[in-house]
């Protein structure tokens, strides 16, 4: 290599070193200026302009009562203290939001182009007062959200990708059924996917004294899918809802799909009752510990309707639909069905155990107010029910319960011993509908098996007796009493008719008269003493019912 080439290379290196040194010095100087600039600029002079920008973005009055500061490195950031945002016209309180500290991260690129563009926002100890405005729209709805939905051009260039809230509080919050909610210690992070028009909010809070978690997904792009996807975690379980919140009116109901997972039902029921603003209720854990439920829900101003309901508990699954109304009483109508149901297990769990037990969450709490009256009109179906250690098949029971009276409208089942029972109660009529007769059909093909299942000792009766029982007739309701008129029946080879009045209430009262051309007691080897032992006593314990009758040979 020649001396001239080496000399030229050294000169080029020296030239680049000097250039790099000047760049480094300029960079250091620029960084020093950027670091020092916030401390030498009078930021108080810019507070009115910042308040004006925020007011334009929110459509509300904005007051900055505390100091204002900003940083340029490593990312432009504006910090406001003691911020107040005014409420919507027609609201009861003048201030909607107060915050001890508001930090806003800005875009370097936008600043270099002479624009202000907000990237991230952090709020410390905000206090938000919720209430509707004069137009009925909630006061937390800002024009910037309308911009994201494309309803109007944005008032302020906003490409928010993150909002943080620390130590927040909600005032005047209400739940889906109008219950008051006190929420504080709110910590959340909201992220915005502007490309998809989706907002996701995750956080934790104290709701009505209960530690809770929540995940909320919002569709602000106006797509055809459900705009709300909400999951709330409470002690003992969690609830999810995906659908359209609406205004819970007849024209704009809440509708969507809900799901409940109660890993520990006693604590979950207690938590839900407190969140709803009611005295705490607690389920006896010896009866039921875990439940899962889901369904399609519709809530308007008067009714809660649940379709495609599915409830799973302790290996059992119940499906159906319900409509619930709360006025002067709680009214519940609907249909419930199960492929199989173990009644023996549930009766054993409920034996000498209450379903609800006192709550220990609130010591010395005032006694709960008397529950409202309950009106039920339900149809219950089950393919197979295990009861008394055997299977009842094809069970259908339709009943109503009102004013402490139980009324059976229809009952159909196949009992052990192929004992088929069908009772359809008639309707006594009212001012607009005429009454109609019902039917009663009984066909017991293996009566001895049925009686043994019931618990009747028939060992002393000959094996060829008590084999079959058939009954067929019409029933006519008269003022709430089912009247059976001249129903034909046959017991083995003996036949007759029966007339009875059955009051299907609590207690049940039955009065009957049997007419038989002949009665062969010798065939059954029943003495007069044994026969008299089968006749019910004149009085019965409360709730078990009474019966009386006579036999005309």
């Amino acid at each position: 290599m020649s001396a001239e080439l080496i000399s030229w290379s050294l000169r080029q290196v020296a030239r680049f070193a000097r250039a790099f040194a000047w760049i480094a010095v300029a960079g250091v100087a620029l960084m020093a200026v950027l670091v020092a600039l916030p401390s030498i600029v009078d930021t108080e002079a810019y507070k009115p302009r910042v308040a004006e920008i925020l007011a334009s973005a929110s459509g509300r009055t904005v007051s900055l009562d505390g100091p204002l500061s900003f940083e340029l490195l490593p990312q432009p950031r504006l910090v406001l203290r003691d911020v107040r945002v005014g409420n919507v016209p027609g609201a009861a309180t003048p201030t909607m939001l107060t915050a001890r500290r508001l930090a806003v991260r800005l875009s370097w690129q936008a600043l270099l182009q002479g624009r202000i563009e907000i990237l991230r926002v952090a709020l410390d100890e905000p206090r938000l007062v919720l209430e509707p405005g004069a137009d009925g729209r909630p006061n937390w709805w800002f024009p910037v959200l309308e911009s994201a939905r494309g309803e109007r051009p944005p008032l302020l260039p906003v490409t928010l990708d993150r909002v943080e809230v620390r130590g927040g509080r909600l005032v005047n919050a209400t739940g889906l059924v109008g219950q008051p909610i006190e929420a504080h210690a709110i910590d959340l992070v909201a992220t915005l996917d502007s490309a998809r028009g989706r907002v996701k909010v995750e956080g934790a809070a104290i709701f009505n004294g209960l530690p809770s978690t929540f995940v909320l997904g919002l569709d602000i792009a106006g797509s055809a899918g459900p705009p709300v996807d909400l999951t709330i975690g409470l002690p003992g379980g969690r609830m999810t809802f995906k659908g359209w919140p609406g205004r819970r009116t007849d024209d704009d109901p809440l509708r969507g799909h809900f799901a409940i997972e109660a890993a520990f039902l006693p604590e979950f029921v207690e938590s839900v009752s407190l969140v709803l603003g009611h005295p705490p209720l607690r389920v006896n854990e010896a009866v039921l510990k875990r439940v899962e439920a889901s369904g399609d829900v519709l809530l308007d101003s008067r009714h809660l309707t649940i379709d495609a309901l599915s409830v799973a508990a302790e290996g059992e699954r119940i499906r159906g639909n319900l409509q619930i109304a709360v006025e002067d009483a709680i009214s519940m109508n609907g249909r419930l069905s199960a492929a199989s149901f173990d009644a023996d297990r549930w009766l054993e769990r409920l034996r000498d155990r209450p379903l609800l037990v006192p709550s220990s969450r609130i010591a010395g709490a005032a006694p709960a107010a008397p529950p409202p009256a309950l009106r039920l009109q339900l149809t219950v179906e089950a393919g197979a029910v295990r009861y008394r250690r055997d299977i009842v098949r094809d069970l259908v029971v339709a009943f109503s319960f009102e004013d402490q009276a139980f009324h059976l409208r229809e009952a159909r089942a196949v009992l052990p011993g192929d004992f088929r029972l069908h009772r359809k109660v008639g309707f006594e009529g009212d001012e607009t509908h005429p009454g109609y007769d019902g039917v009663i059909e009984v066909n017991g093909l293996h009566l001895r098996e049925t009686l043994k299942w019931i618990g009747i000792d028939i060992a002393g009766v000959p094996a060829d007796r008590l084999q079959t029982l058939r009954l067929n007739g019409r029933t006519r309701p008269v003022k709430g009493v089912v009247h059976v008129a001249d129903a034909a029946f046959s017991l083995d080879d003996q036949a007759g008719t029966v007339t009875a009045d059955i009051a299907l209430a609590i207690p049940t009262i039955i009065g009957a008269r049997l007419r038989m051309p002949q009665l062969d007691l010798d065939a059954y080897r029943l003495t007069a003493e044994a026969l008299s032992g089968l006749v019910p006593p004149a009085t019965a314990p409360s709730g078990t019912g009474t019966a009386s009758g006579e036999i005309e040979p």
Side-chain angles (χ1 to χ4, degrees), residues 7-92:
S7 176
W8 181 83
S9 299
L10 292 175
R11 288 195 302 270
Q12 293 300 320
V13 171
R15 185 179 295 121
F16 282 124
R18 287 194 298 268
F20 180 77
W22 279 108
I23 293 174
V25 170
V28 171
L30 178 60
M31 293 183 62
V33 171
L34 293 178
V35 171
L37 185 62
S39 63
I40 61 177
V41 173
D42 182 13
T43 57
E44 293 296 313
Y46 292 91
K47 284 174 58 175
R49 175 56 180 162
V50 173
E52 181 183 349
I53 293 174
L54 294 176
S56 298
S58 63
R60 315 287 171 82
T61 60
V62 176
S63 300
L64 307 178
D65 299 333
L68 181 150
S69 60
F70 73 95
E71 301 171 358
L72 295 175
L73 293 176
Q75 185 78 22
R77 189 175 68 149
L78 183 67
V79 179
L80 313 173
R81 298 183 182 276
D82 299 330
V83 180
R84 288 187 294 116
V85 179
N87 219 331
V88 294

Side-chain angles (χ1 to χ4, degrees), residues 169-173 179-184 206-210 275:
R169 176 182 290 272
L170 286 179
V171 180
N172 293 343
Q179 79 278 13
I181 294 179
E182 178 187 348
H184 63 279
I206 305 296
F207 286 103
N208 288 359
L210 292 170
V275 168

Side-chain angles (χ1 to χ4, degrees), residues 425-456:
V425 179
F427 174 52
E428 65 186 65
D430 54 25
E431 296 178 355
T432 58
H433 299 88
Y436 58 84
D437 289 343
V439 296
I440 181 168
E441 298 174 353
V442 173
N443 189 6
L445 301 180
H446 304 284
L447 183 58
R448 295 180 71 91
E449 295 180 20
T450 306
L451 295 175
K452 182 179 179 181
W453 170 72
I454 293 174
I456 297 178

Side-chain angles (χ1 to χ4, degrees), residues 91-236:
T93 56
T95 301
M96 183 196 75
L97 173 68
T98 61
R100 184 180 64 83
R101 179 177 175 271
L102 169 63
V104 179
R105 183 177 296 182
L106 306 174
S107 167
W108 257 123
Q109 183 179 1
L111 287 178
L112 295 176
Q113 296 174 357
R115 299 182 295 107
I116 297 178
E117 187 170 326
I118 300 174
L119 298 179
R120 296 191 177 187
V121 173
L123 283 166
D124 289 343
E125 300 180 16
R127 182 179 183 271
L128 177 62
V129 179
L130 299 177
E131 57 181 312
D135 60 354
R137 174 171 288 187
N139 63 340
W140 52 264
W141 191 263
F142 290 97
V144 67
L145 297 176
E146 296 180 354
S147 304
R149 297 174 62 188
E151 296 181 7
R152 65 173 67 176
L155 298 175
L156 179 68
V158 176
T159 57
L160 275 174
D161 62 1
R162 187 180 181 90
V163 175
E164 297 182 12
V165 173
R166 295 181 287 266
R169 176 182 290 272
L170 286 179
V171 180
N172 293 343
T174 56
L176 293 178
V177 295
Q179 79 278 13
I181 294 179
E182 178 187 348
H184 63 279
I186 302 173
D187 296 321
L188 64 84
V189 175
T191 56
L192 172 64
D193 184 348
S194 56
R196 300 172 53 201
R198 298 286 299 180
V199 175
K200 184 177 182 180
V201 183
E202 298 182 78
I206 305 296
F207 286 103
N208 288 359
L210 292 170
S212 312
T213 61
F214 54 89
V215 178
L216 172 64
L218 293 173
D219 177 8
I220 58 176
S223 64
V228 173
D229 188 350
L230 174 64
T231 299
I232 298 177
L234 295 171

Side-chain angles (χ1 to χ4, degrees), residues 234-245:
L234 295 171
R238 66 175 184 171
M239 301 178 290
T240 63
F241 171 78
K242 188 173 185 178
W244 293 260

